Amino acid sequence: MSPTLPGPLAHLAPLLDDYGYLAVGVLVFLDNCLLPVPGQTILVLAAVYAGAGQLSLPVLLLVAVLTAFAGDALAYVLGRTGGLALVQRWGRYVRLTPERMARADAFFRRRGALVVTGARFVDGLRQTNGLLAGTTGMPWRRFLLANAAGAALWAGVWSAVGYFAGSNIDTLYREAVRYQVLLFAVLAALAVLLAVRTWLRRRHRPPRDGAAGRIPHQGGPDGGQGGGGDGGDSDGSDLPSDHR
């Protein structure tokens, strides 16, 4: 007998009843590959079923980890093979300039592994982190390791939430999603602060080749030739003529 599922989880119960692990695998795969489908929700729901004895928890974890890994890997391949061309052609329409892409590339080279590992816990990043990693040219070995770690961590945490929550799953899931929204807000605020700090630094940075730096360099030789040199030649030519 299927467990009672109050709240927003109930509408996915028929899908899980009819297709079981296949439903979990398809939705988790798509949710990790650019499409905002309820992959995380059905994973939690399937874990509730596992807690009630309707599904096997080890099999569920295996399916979730493999499909999450595969979805993110496909997004990475899409970004690596065609993402940069799309950005170069259409990026200016969404203010994604080459300079911003260069900064994103530098960021992923420094912090890409952490982003890919933790991105699954943030809606939006869960769907797009693979594409961003591929577009910015993150090395594939680093990506695969971070992808595997993130898939295992994400599947393990949400499976544990559903498995141990039991009849309290609705309340617990709402609180977990609220925490996830708060985490997204904090990350967005940090991104804004970093952008403002970068802008302020660039604004107050002295110019590398400013006028003050060029005038002494150019004015010295010109002054020596035009002022001292020309004056010297003129005086030298006049003095002999006066003496003559």
Side-chain angles (χ1 to χ4, degrees):
M1 181 177 179
S2 299
T4 302
L5 299 166
L9 302 177
H11 70 283
L12 287 175
L15 184 64
L16 192 59
D17 290 334
D18 292 339
Y19 298 101
Y21 300 113
L22 178 62
V24 175
V26 170
L27 290 183
V28 166
F29 176 84
L30 295 176
D31 192 30
N32 284 266
C33 186
L34 307 177
L35 298 179
V37 299
Q40 181 171 279
T41 305
I42 201 169
L43 174 59
V44 175
L45 178 59
V48 174
Y49 273 51
Q54 303 299 308
L55 293 174
S56 168
L57 183 61
V59 174
L60 174 62
L61 281 171
L62 181 63
V63 170
V65 171
L66 290 179
T67 53
F69 178 89
D72 216 29
L74 177 58
Y76 174 84
V77 171
L78 293 175
R80 194 67 182 261
T81 56
L84 186 58
L86 290 175
V87 168
Q88 290 175 343
R89 183 171 183 179
W90 306 103
R92 63 182 182 274
Y93 296 109
V94 292
R95 302 178 64 84
L96 193 57
T97 61
E99 292 181 354
R100 291 180 178 177
M101 279 303 302
R103 289 197 295 270
D105 177 70
F107 178 80
F108 260 86
R109 290 184 185 277
R110 296 192 308 269
R111 299 287 185 266
L114 292 177
V115 173
V116 173
T117 301
R120 285 181 170 83
F121 293 93
V122 181
D123 283 330
L125 284 179
R126 180 168 62 254
Q127 291 83 16
T128 59
N129 76 89
L131 182 71
L132 291 173
T135 301
T136 56
M138 181 178 177
W140 66 269
R141 290 183 179 179
R142 289 182 59 202
F143 171 79
L144 290 181
L145 290 174
N147 184 20
L153 183 63
W154 176 77
V157 167
W158 286 110
S159 295
V161 168
Y163 186 82
F164 293 109
S167 60
N168 297 318
I169 183 59
D170 185 54
T171 302
L172 186 59
Y173 185 69
R174 286 177 184 272
E175 291 298 322
V177 170
R178 185 179 304 173
Y179 171 78
Q180 181 174 278
V181 172
L182 178 61
L183 177 62
F184 177 78
V186 170
L187 291 176
L190 288 176
V192 171
L193 289 175
L194 288 174
V196 171
R197 194 178 83 170
T198 302
W199 177 76
L200 289 175
R201 283 184 174 181
R202 294 183 64 184
R203 184 180 179 185
H204 293 92
R205 183 184 302 168
R208 296 179 180 179
D209 296 321
R214 290 194 300 265
I215 289 175
H217 177 71
Q218 296 179 357
D222 292 344
Q225 295 175 1
D230 293 345
D233 292 343
S234 176
D235 291 342
S237 61
D238 289 343
L239 284 173
S241 61
D242 289 341
H243 287 294
R244 289 198 296 267

